[in-house]
Amino acid sequence: MKSLGILVIALFLSVSVFANETEPKTFLVLFKSKELKSLNTSLKEIQSQFSSAFKTRSYSGNSELALIIDIPKCEFDACFLGQFLISLDEGEDIRLQEIAFRVVDMTANKRSLDTYITAFEESQQKKKNDKRNPTPAP
C-alpha cells in the first residue's frame, strides 16, 4: 500500500513536469481613425473595454492607431480575438474584426521572424566559410 502511494505521487510529479504551459501572447490591433470616427468611438474607449481583463497599450500618432493587447496565458489566435464584441456609444455591439484594420498575432510572427533570421545567418555563415576554404582547381 505504501509503495502504491509513492508510485501515485511520483506519477503526478512526473506528469506535472511534462505539462506544456501556454505562453503569453501579444496581439497588435490596427485601426483607421476615419472608421472609428464614423462609428462615434475612439481608441481609448476600445482600450478601456480590454484593459479590465488584459494588459493594454495604445499608440496614436502620424500613422494608424494601434492597440497592443498582452494576454498572459491563452490558447486562441487573432481570429478568436477578432470575435470579441466592442460596445459602441449607441448601445450597439460590433465585433473587433469589423472595425479593426488588421489584427496581428505578434508572438507567432516573432517565431517566424526568428526562424527566417536563423536560416539567413546560417546561409551567410556557409557563404563565408566557402570563401575562406576555396576548393583547389584540378
Side-chain angles (χ1 to χ4, degrees):
M1 185 69 171
K2 186 177 182 180
S3 62
L4 182 62
I6 292 173
L7 179 64
V8 169
I9 291 173
L11 178 66
F12 282 120
L13 289 176
S14 65
V15 168
S16 67
V17 168
F18 294 114
N20 188 10
E21 290 191 28
T22 58
E23 65 181 27
K25 287 194 175 188
T26 302
F27 293 96
L28 171 66
V29 185
L30 298 174
F31 299 95
K32 295 226 181 238
S33 58
K34 290 179 182 178
E35 190 168 348
L36 292 181
K37 285 180 185 177
S38 70
L39 294 169
N40 294 327
T41 190
S42 68
L43 182 61
K44 293 293 181 188
E45 291 175 13
I46 295 171
Q47 180 183 7
S48 68
Q49 294 179 29
F50 282 102
S51 64
S52 62
F54 309 117
K55 181 181 173 190
T56 60
R57 297 180 303 269
S58 63
Y59 298 97
S60 58
N62 295 336
S63 61
E64 306 298 330
L65 302 174
L67 177 65
I68 296 178
I69 304 170
D70 293 320
I71 303 175
K73 293 183 179 180
C74 68
E75 290 291 329
F76 55 88
D77 57 358
C79 294
F80 185 78
L81 184 68
Q83 297 295 321
F84 276 59
L85 292 176
I86 304 298
S87 299
L88 300 178
D89 289 337
E90 300 93 31
E92 181 184 349
D93 290 337
I94 190 168
R95 289 189 180 133
L96 180 64
Q97 68 188 10
E98 293 176 14
I99 60 173
F101 173 65
R102 183 105 49 228
V103 179
V104 180
D105 183 354
M106 299 295 286
T107 307
N109 288 342
K110 183 178 183 321
R111 279 190 233 120
S112 298
L113 178 63
D114 289 343
T115 303
Y116 290 133
I117 289 174
T118 303
F120 176 74
E121 288 174 348
E122 288 174 358
S123 69
Q124 292 297 318
Q125 188 65 33
K126 184 178 178 183
K127 286 179 184 178
K128 192 182 286 186
N129 288 342
D130 290 345
K131 286 182 180 178
R132 288 184 184 168
N133 301 327
T135 48

PDB file of all heavy atoms in Angstrom, residues 21-44:
ATOM      1  N   GLU A  21       2.977  24.314 -20.594  1.00  0.00           N
ATOM      2  CA  GLU A  21       2.319  25.548 -20.198  1.00  0.00           C
ATOM      3  C   GLU A  21       2.175  26.467 -21.404  1.00  0.00           C
ATOM      4  O   GLU A  21       3.053  26.543 -22.251  1.00  0.00           O
ATOM      5  CB  GLU A  21       3.121  26.256 -19.108  1.00  0.00           C
ATOM      6  CG  GLU A  21       3.088  25.532 -17.788  1.00  0.00           C
ATOM      7  CD  GLU A  21       3.660  26.366 -16.671  1.00  0.00           C
ATOM      8  OE1 GLU A  21       3.589  27.604 -16.754  1.00  0.00           O
ATOM      9  OE2 GLU A  21       4.162  25.768 -15.723  1.00  0.00           O
ATOM     10  N   THR A  22       1.055  27.147 -21.446  1.00  0.00           N
ATOM     11  CA  THR A  22       0.842  28.080 -22.542  1.00  0.00           C
ATOM     12  C   THR A  22       1.640  29.347 -22.288  1.00  0.00           C
ATOM     13  O   THR A  22       1.753  29.799 -21.155  1.00  0.00           O
ATOM     14  CB  THR A  22      -0.647  28.424 -22.685  1.00  0.00           C
ATOM     15  OG1 THR A  22      -1.106  28.970 -21.456  1.00  0.00           O
ATOM     16  CG2 THR A  22      -1.461  27.203 -23.031  1.00  0.00           C
ATOM     17  N   GLU A  23       2.163  29.901 -23.334  1.00  0.00           N
ATOM     18  CA  GLU A  23       2.968  31.110 -23.201  1.00  0.00           C
ATOM     19  C   GLU A  23       2.097  32.340 -23.403  1.00  0.00           C
ATOM     20  O   GLU A  23       1.033  32.263 -24.020  1.00  0.00           O
ATOM     21  CB  GLU A  23       4.101  31.095 -24.208  1.00  0.00           C
ATOM     22  CG  GLU A  23       3.658  31.146 -25.650  1.00  0.00           C
ATOM     23  CD  GLU A  23       4.815  31.100 -26.608  1.00  0.00           C
ATOM     24  OE1 GLU A  23       5.857  30.535 -26.258  1.00  0.00           O
ATOM     25  OE2 GLU A  23       4.660  31.649 -27.717  1.00  0.00           O
ATOM     26  N   PRO A  24       2.530  33.452 -22.869  1.00  0.00           N
ATOM     27  CA  PRO A  24       1.752  34.682 -23.084  1.00  0.00           C
ATOM     28  C   PRO A  24       1.792  35.090 -24.556  1.00  0.00           C
ATOM     29  O   PRO A  24       2.757  34.807 -25.263  1.00  0.00           O
ATOM     30  CB  PRO A  24       2.455  35.710 -22.199  1.00  0.00           C
ATOM     31  CG  PRO A  24       3.796  35.150 -21.921  1.00  0.00           C
ATOM     32  CD  PRO A  24       3.700  33.674 -22.049  1.00  0.00           C
ATOM     33  N   LYS A  25       0.734  35.734 -24.997  1.00  0.00           N
ATOM     34  CA  LYS A  25       0.660  36.180 -26.386  1.00  0.00           C
ATOM     35  C   LYS A  25       0.447  37.682 -26.435  1.00  0.00           C
ATOM     36  O   LYS A  25      -0.174  38.253 -25.551  1.00  0.00           O
ATOM     37  CB  LYS A  25      -0.487  35.483 -27.120  1.00  0.00           C
ATOM     38  CG  LYS A  25      -0.205  34.037 -27.431  1.00  0.00           C
ATOM     39  CD  LYS A  25      -1.195  33.513 -28.418  1.00  0.00           C
ATOM     40  CE  LYS A  25      -0.826  32.100 -28.807  1.00  0.00           C
ATOM     41  NZ  LYS A  25      -1.651  31.625 -29.895  1.00  0.00           N
ATOM     42  N   THR A  26       0.963  38.268 -27.485  1.00  0.00           N
ATOM     43  CA  THR A  26       0.805  39.697 -27.716  1.00  0.00           C
ATOM     44  C   THR A  26       0.141  39.885 -29.073  1.00  0.00           C
ATOM     45  O   THR A  26       0.591  39.323 -30.069  1.00  0.00           O
ATOM     46  CB  THR A  26       2.171  40.405 -27.699  1.00  0.00           C
ATOM     47  OG1 THR A  26       2.794  40.157 -26.434  1.00  0.00           O
ATOM     48  CG2 THR A  26       2.019  41.895 -27.887  1.00  0.00           C
ATOM     49  N   PHE A  27      -0.918  40.681 -29.073  1.00  0.00           N
ATOM     50  CA  PHE A  27      -1.652  40.969 -30.300  1.00  0.00           C
ATOM     51  C   PHE A  27      -1.555  42.459 -30.603  1.00  0.00           C
ATOM     52  O   PHE A  27      -1.624  43.288 -29.701  1.00  0.00           O
ATOM     53  CB  PHE A  27      -3.125  40.584 -30.160  1.00  0.00           C
ATOM     54  CG  PHE A  27      -3.345  39.106 -30.031  1.00  0.00           C
ATOM     55  CD1 PHE A  27      -3.479  38.515 -28.794  1.00  0.00           C
ATOM     56  CD2 PHE A  27      -3.418  38.298 -31.153  1.00  0.00           C
ATOM     57  CE1 PHE A  27      -3.679  37.157 -28.672  1.00  0.00           C
ATOM     58  CE2 PHE A  27      -3.614  36.940 -31.042  1.00  0.00           C
ATOM     59  CZ  PHE A  27      -3.745  36.368 -29.797  1.00  0.00           C
ATOM     60  N   LEU A  28      -1.398  42.783 -31.868  1.00  0.00           N
ATOM     61  CA  LEU A  28      -1.384  44.153 -32.348  1.00  0.00           C
ATOM     62  C   LEU A  28      -2.651  44.354 -33.164  1.00  0.00           C
ATOM     63  O   LEU A  28      -2.911  43.615 -34.113  1.00  0.00           O
ATOM     64  CB  LEU A  28      -0.150  44.411 -33.212  1.00  0.00           C
ATOM     65  CG  LEU A  28      -0.092  45.739 -33.955  1.00  0.00           C
ATOM     66  CD1 LEU A  28       0.020  46.900 -32.969  1.00  0.00           C
ATOM     67  CD2 LEU A  28       1.055  45.754 -34.932  1.00  0.00           C
ATOM     68  N   VAL A  29      -3.441  45.352 -32.768  1.00  0.00           N
ATOM     69  CA  VAL A  29      -4.685  45.658 -33.469  1.00  0.00           C
ATOM     70  C   VAL A  29      -4.552  47.059 -34.047  1.00  0.00           C
ATOM     71  O   VAL A  29      -4.312  48.021 -33.315  1.00  0.00           O
ATOM     72  CB  VAL A  29      -5.904  45.583 -32.522  1.00  0.00           C
ATOM     73  CG1 VAL A  29      -7.190  45.782 -33.304  1.00  0.00           C
ATOM     74  CG2 VAL A  29      -5.933  44.262 -31.775  1.00  0.00           C
ATOM     75  N   LEU A  30      -4.661  47.175 -35.369  1.00  0.00           N
ATOM     76  CA  LEU A  30      -4.547  48.461 -36.050  1.00  0.00           C
ATOM     77  C   LEU A  30      -5.929  48.961 -36.437  1.00  0.00           C
ATOM     78  O   LEU A  30      -6.777  48.180 -36.873  1.00  0.00           O
ATOM     79  CB  LEU A  30      -3.675  48.324 -37.299  1.00  0.00           C
ATOM     80  CG  LEU A  30      -2.231  47.892 -37.054  1.00  0.00           C
ATOM     81  CD1 LEU A  30      -1.526  47.667 -38.382  1.00  0.00           C
ATOM     82  CD2 LEU A  30      -1.497  48.922 -36.230  1.00  0.00           C
ATOM     83  N   PHE A  31      -6.143  50.268 -36.297  1.00  0.00           N
ATOM     84  CA  PHE A  31      -7.422  50.888 -36.625  1.00  0.00           C
ATOM     85  C   PHE A  31      -7.191  52.062 -37.567  1.00  0.00           C
ATOM     86  O   PHE A  31      -6.134  52.689 -37.539  1.00  0.00           O
ATOM     87  CB  PHE A  31      -8.112  51.430 -35.362  1.00  0.00           C
ATOM     88  CG  PHE A  31      -8.434  50.389 -34.344  1.00  0.00           C
ATOM     89  CD1 PHE A  31      -7.576  50.141 -33.288  1.00  0.00           C
ATOM     90  CD2 PHE A  31      -9.595  49.659 -34.434  1.00  0.00           C
ATOM     91  CE1 PHE A  31      -7.875  49.192 -32.337  1.00  0.00           C
ATOM     92  CE2 PHE A  31      -9.916  48.701 -33.483  1.00  0.00           C
ATOM     93  CZ  PHE A  31      -9.049  48.469 -32.433  1.00  0.00           C
ATOM     94  N   LYS A  32      -8.178  52.365 -38.367  1.00  0.00           N
ATOM     95  CA  LYS A  32      -8.188  53.582 -39.184  1.00  0.00           C
ATOM     96  C   LYS A  32      -8.991  54.619 -38.420  1.00  0.00           C
ATOM     97  O   LYS A  32     -10.115  54.352 -37.988  1.00  0.00           O
ATOM     98  CB  LYS A  32      -8.820  53.316 -40.543  1.00  0.00           C
ATOM     99  CG  LYS A  32      -8.028  52.350 -41.385  1.00  0.00           C
ATOM    100  CD  LYS A  32      -7.914  52.878 -42.766  1.00  0.00           C
ATOM    101  CE  LYS A  32      -7.132  51.892 -43.600  1.00  0.00           C
ATOM    102  NZ  LYS A  32      -5.973  52.487 -44.165  1.00  0.00           N
ATOM    103  N   SER A  33      -8.436  55.812 -38.254  1.00  0.00           N
ATOM    104  CA  SER A  33      -9.101  56.837 -37.456  1.00  0.00           C
ATOM    105  C   SER A  33     -10.424  57.282 -38.080  1.00  0.00           C
ATOM    106  O   SER A  33     -11.389  57.562 -37.371  1.00  0.00           O
ATOM    107  CB  SER A  33      -8.170  58.034 -37.247  1.00  0.00           C
ATOM    108  OG  SER A  33      -7.775  58.568 -38.483  1.00  0.00           O
ATOM    109  N   LYS A  34     -10.500  57.318 -39.405  1.00  0.00           N
ATOM    110  CA  LYS A  34     -11.751  57.710 -40.069  1.00  0.00           C
ATOM    111  C   LYS A  34     -12.872  56.724 -39.759  1.00  0.00           C
ATOM    112  O   LYS A  34     -14.014  57.120 -39.546  1.00  0.00           O
ATOM    113  CB  LYS A  34     -11.547  57.804 -41.578  1.00  0.00           C
ATOM    114  CG  LYS A  34     -10.684  58.959 -41.999  1.00  0.00           C
ATOM    115  CD  LYS A  34     -10.511  58.979 -43.504  1.00  0.00           C
ATOM    116  CE  LYS A  34      -9.594  60.111 -43.930  1.00  0.00           C
ATOM    117  NZ  LYS A  34      -9.378  60.115 -45.384  1.00  0.00           N
ATOM    118  N   GLU A  35     -12.536  55.447 -39.721  1.00  0.00           N
ATOM    119  CA  GLU A  35     -13.560  54.440 -39.445  1.00  0.00           C
ATOM    120  C   GLU A  35     -14.047  54.533 -38.001  1.00  0.00           C
ATOM    121  O   GLU A  35     -15.234  54.382 -37.723  1.00  0.00           O
ATOM    122  CB  GLU A  35     -13.022  53.042 -39.735  1.00  0.00           C
ATOM    123  CG  GLU A  35     -14.091  51.983 -39.711  1.00  0.00           C
ATOM    124  CD  GLU A  35     -13.615  50.663 -40.270  1.00  0.00           C
ATOM    125  OE1 GLU A  35     -12.540  50.609 -40.884  1.00  0.00           O
ATOM    126  OE2 GLU A  35     -14.344  49.682 -40.085  1.00  0.00           O
ATOM    127  N   LEU A  36     -13.137  54.792 -37.065  1.00  0.00           N
ATOM    128  CA  LEU A  36     -13.551  54.959 -35.673  1.00  0.00           C
ATOM    129  C   LEU A  36     -14.435  56.191 -35.503  1.00  0.00           C
ATOM    130  O   LEU A  36     -15.410  56.170 -34.753  1.00  0.00           O
ATOM    131  CB  LEU A  36     -12.336  55.040 -34.750  1.00  0.00           C
ATOM    132  CG  LEU A  36     -11.505  53.756 -34.602  1.00  0.00           C
ATOM    133  CD1 LEU A  36     -10.355  53.984 -33.636  1.00  0.00           C
ATOM    134  CD2 LEU A  36     -12.356  52.590 -34.169  1.00  0.00           C
ATOM    135  N   LYS A  37     -14.095  57.269 -36.222  1.00  0.00           N
ATOM    136  CA  LYS A  37     -14.925  58.476 -36.149  1.00  0.00           C
ATOM    137  C   LYS A  37     -16.307  58.221 -36.721  1.00  0.00           C
ATOM    138  O   LYS A  37     -17.307  58.718 -36.202  1.00  0.00           O
ATOM    139  CB  LYS A  37     -14.253  59.630 -36.894  1.00  0.00           C
ATOM    140  CG  LYS A  37     -13.096  60.229 -36.145  1.00  0.00           C
ATOM    141  CD  LYS A  37     -12.465  61.369 -36.920  1.00  0.00           C
ATOM    142  CE  LYS A  37     -11.230  61.888 -36.218  1.00  0.00           C
ATOM    143  NZ  LYS A  37     -10.561  62.937 -36.990  1.00  0.00           N
ATOM    144  N   SER A  38     -16.390  57.445 -37.801  1.00  0.00           N
ATOM    145  CA  SER A  38     -17.699  57.164 -38.396  1.00  0.00           C
ATOM    146  C   SER A  38     -18.576  56.325 -37.462  1.00  0.00           C
ATOM    147  O   SER A  38     -19.803  56.396 -37.531  1.00  0.00           O
ATOM    148  CB  SER A  38     -17.536  56.467 -39.743  1.00  0.00           C
ATOM    149  OG  SER A  38     -17.064  55.155 -39.567  1.00  0.00           O
ATOM    150  N   LEU A  39     -17.954  55.548 -36.580  1.00  0.00           N
ATOM    151  CA  LEU A  39     -18.703  54.741 -35.612  1.00  0.00           C
ATOM    152  C   LEU A  39     -18.889  55.465 -34.277  1.00  0.00           C
ATOM    153  O   LEU A  39     -19.435  54.877 -33.332  1.00  0.00           O
ATOM    154  CB  LEU A  39     -17.984  53.414 -35.376  1.00  0.00           C
ATOM    155  CG  LEU A  39     -17.927  52.471 -36.567  1.00  0.00           C
ATOM    156  CD1 LEU A  39     -16.973  51.313 -36.302  1.00  0.00           C
ATOM    157  CD2 LEU A  39     -19.311  51.947 -36.890  1.00  0.00           C
ATOM    158  N   ASN A  40     -18.439  56.713 -34.195  1.00  0.00           N
ATOM    159  CA  ASN A  40     -18.527  57.519 -32.971  1.00  0.00           C
ATOM    160  C   ASN A  40     -17.887  56.827 -31.774  1.00  0.00           C
ATOM    161  O   ASN A  40     -18.457  56.764 -30.687  1.00  0.00           O
ATOM    162  CB  ASN A  40     -19.981  57.881 -32.647  1.00  0.00           C
ATOM    163  CG  ASN A  40     -20.584  58.790 -33.684  1.00  0.00           C
ATOM    164  OD1 ASN A  40     -19.884  59.621 -34.263  1.00  0.00           O
ATOM    165  ND2 ASN A  40     -21.861  58.621 -33.949  1.00  0.00           N
ATOM    166  N   THR A  41     -16.706  56.299 -31.986  1.00  0.00           N
ATOM    167  CA  THR A  41     -15.944  55.683 -30.904  1.00  0.00           C
ATOM    168  C   THR A  41     -14.498  56.114 -31.021  1.00  0.00           C
ATOM    169  O   THR A  41     -14.110  56.782 -31.982  1.00  0.00           O
ATOM    170  CB  THR A  41     -16.086  54.144 -30.925  1.00  0.00           C
ATOM    171  OG1 THR A  41     -15.513  53.611 -29.728  1.00  0.00           O
ATOM    172  CG2 THR A  41     -15.404  53.538 -32.131  1.00  0.00           C
ATOM    173  N   SER A  42     -13.697  55.766 -30.040  1.00  0.00           N
ATOM    174  CA  SER A  42     -12.288  56.153 -30.057  1.00  0.00           C
ATOM    175  C   SER A  42     -11.428  54.981 -29.605  1.00  0.00           C
ATOM    176  O   SER A  42     -11.932  53.987 -29.077  1.00  0.00           O
ATOM    177  CB  SER A  42     -12.054  57.350 -29.141  1.00  0.00           C
ATOM    178  OG  SER A  42     -12.244  56.969 -27.788  1.00  0.00           O
ATOM    179  N   LEU A  43     -10.143  55.139 -29.803  1.00  0.00           N
ATOM    180  CA  LEU A  43      -9.193  54.108 -29.400  1.00  0.00           C
ATOM    181  C   LEU A  43      -9.205  53.930 -27.886  1.00  0.00           C
ATOM    182  O   LEU A  43      -9.121  52.812 -27.379  1.00  0.00           O
ATOM    183  CB  LEU A  43      -7.792  54.462 -29.905  1.00  0.00           C
ATOM    184  CG  LEU A  43      -6.681  53.460 -29.612  1.00  0.00           C
ATOM    185  CD1 LEU A  43      -6.979  52.120 -30.269  1.00  0.00           C
ATOM    186  CD2 LEU A  43      -5.356  53.993 -30.082  1.00  0.00           C
ATOM    187  N   LYS A  44      -9.345  55.011 -27.152  1.00  0.00           N
ATOM    188  CA  LYS A  44      -9.362  54.943 -25.684  1.00  0.00           C
ATOM    189  C   LYS A  44     -10.572  54.152 -25.182  1.00  0.00           C
ATOM    190  O   LYS A  44     -10.465  53.409 -24.212  1.00  0.00           O
ATOM    191  CB  LYS A  44      -9.364  56.350 -25.079  1.00  0.00           C
ATOM    192  CG  LYS A  44      -8.091  57.121 -25.310  1.00  0.00           C
ATOM    193  CD  LYS A  44      -6.944  56.487 -24.575  1.00  0.00           C
ATOM    194  CE  LYS A  44      -5.677  57.299 -24.809  1.00  0.00           C
ATOM    195  NZ  LYS A  44      -4.507  56.617 -24.268  1.00  0.00           N
TER     196      LYS A  44
END
